[in-house]
Amino acid sequence: GAGVSQSPSNKVTEKGKDVELRCDPISGHTALYWYRQSLGQGLEFLIYFQGNSAPDKSGLPSDRFSAERTGGSVSTLTIQRTQQEDSAVYLCASSLVRTVDTDTQYFGPGTRLTVL
Amino acid sequence: LAKTTQPISMDSYEGQEVNITCSHNNIATNDYITWYQQFPSQGPRFIIQGYKTKVTNEVASLFIPADRKSSTLSLPRVSLSDTAVYYCLAASGGSYIPTFGRGTSLIVHP
C-alpha cells in the first residue's frame, strides 16, 4: 500500500517568505508527527496530532511555525517569515496508535527546505 | 519518556557482526524499545522492536537483559548498504513525545 508522502520534495525560498509543507499519512493512521532534521543532527520533534485531540505543539520552535491537520488526514506545516536557520529537512511520520505497545512510525521522504 | 544514550559513531567492515548498545536507565514498565534506521536523504524506517529477552527478524536481532536498562541491536554480517544512522527509542504507546536523539552513525568499510 501507499506510504507516507510529502510535498514538495525540495523547496527553496527567500528569507521572509512563507512556506507550506504538505504531508499525506498512511490511510487509517490516527497519529501524525512532524520533525525537523538539520544537517548531521538528529530528529527534532515539532508537533504531534492524535485523532481529534488537540495537537501537542510543545516542540514548535517559535510562533512562526504552525500546523494543521484537516479531516484527520492530510497535514500542512506552515512557516511564516522564514529565516535562514529554518533550513533543514522536514519529516512527517504517521502511526497506528496501539495501547499495548509503542507506535511504529512510518516516515515520509521529507521536504528539504533551503532559505536563502 | 525514557532518555536513551548510544554511541555517536561506529566503524565496521563487511561481513562482520555489529552490536550497537543503547542505555535507557529510567525505562518505564510499559515502555517498549524500538530501533530505527536512517539512510542519507531518507526518513527513518522501523527495524525492530522488543520488550524483553530477545527478538529476531530478517534484518536484525534485539537483545534486552532482564533489568531492561539497556538493549543491543545486532546486525549480522554487515554490508556496505548497512551504512546508516541507527536510532534507539524507549517509549510506550499513546500520548508520548518521541525523542530520537542523534543516533549512532555506522560506517561499514570494504
Side-chain angles (χ1 to χ4, degrees):
Chain A
V4 177
S5 61
Q6 293 186 245
S7 60
S9 55
N10 282 285
K11 177 70 177 179
V12 179
T13 190
E14 295 179 346
K15 178 182 174 181
K17 300 283 189 181
D18 298 351
V19 294
E20 285 189 351
L21 312 179
R22 177 187 169 104
C23 172
D24 283 89
I26 293 173
S27 178
H29 281 193
T30 58
L32 186 147
Y33 310 79
W34 282 99
Y35 299 87
R36 178 170 70 175
Q37 187 170 36
S38 300
L39 188 63
Q41 302 298 310
L43 279 71
E44 175 188 3
F45 165 78
L46 297 178
I47 189 169
Y48 166 61
F49 295 89
Q50 169 50 39
N52 296 321
S53 302
D56 186 319
K57 306 178 182 180
S58 59
L60 295 178
S62 77
D63 58 8
R64 295 186 296 104
F65 288 73
S66 63
E68 62 178 23
R69 188 179 185 189
T70 54
S73 182
V74 173
S75 177
T76 301
L77 176 69
T78 301
I79 308 173
Q80 296 178 310
R81 305 180 302 282
T82 52
Q83 304 294 313
Q84 289 182 332
E85 59 263 29
D86 298 334
S87 295
V89 175
Y90 289 81
L91 290 160
C92 173
S94 70
S95 72
L96 257 179
V97 179
R98 297 183 292 262
T99 57
V100 175
D101 53 10
T102 192
D103 315 326
T104 298
Q105 297 180 48
Y106 297 84
F107 284 81
T111 294
R112 181 176 299 279
L113 174 66
T114 303
V115 182
L116 301 176
Chain B
L1 178 65
K3 180 181 177 181
T4 58
T5 304
Q6 47 183 129
I8 292 176
S9 64
M10 294 182 69
D11 288 89
S12 185
Y13 293 88
E14 284 189 291
Q16 290 188 337
E17 178 184 79
V18 171
N19 296 307
I20 305 174
T21 297
C22 177
S23 298
H24 25 79
N25 290 319
N26 60 337
I27 191 169
T29 302
N30 294 332
D31 287 350
Y32 277 68
I33 297 148
T34 309
W35 285 79
Y36 289 82
Q37 175 190 55
Q38 185 178 27
F39 296 115
S41 303
Q42 295 185 25
R45 68 167 188 162
F46 171 87
I47 302 178
I48 197 166
Q49 180 184 95
Y51 184 80
K52 61 181 179 181
T53 62
K54 176 183 175 182
V55 179
T56 297
N57 61 23
E58 65 278 6
V59 177
S61 293
L62 179 60
F63 299 91
I64 305 168
D67 66 6
R68 304 201 328 121
K69 293 184 182 300
S70 67
S71 60
T72 299
L73 175 72
S74 181
L75 304 173
R77 299 179 299 282
V78 294
S79 63
L80 297 177
S81 62
D82 293 315
T83 293
V85 178
Y86 293 82
Y87 298 94
C88 162
L89 274 76
S92 51
S95 56
Y96 75 95
I97 304 303
T99 304
F100 278 79
R102 294 188 61 179
T104 298
S105 175
L106 171 66
I107 299 176
V108 179
H109 302 276

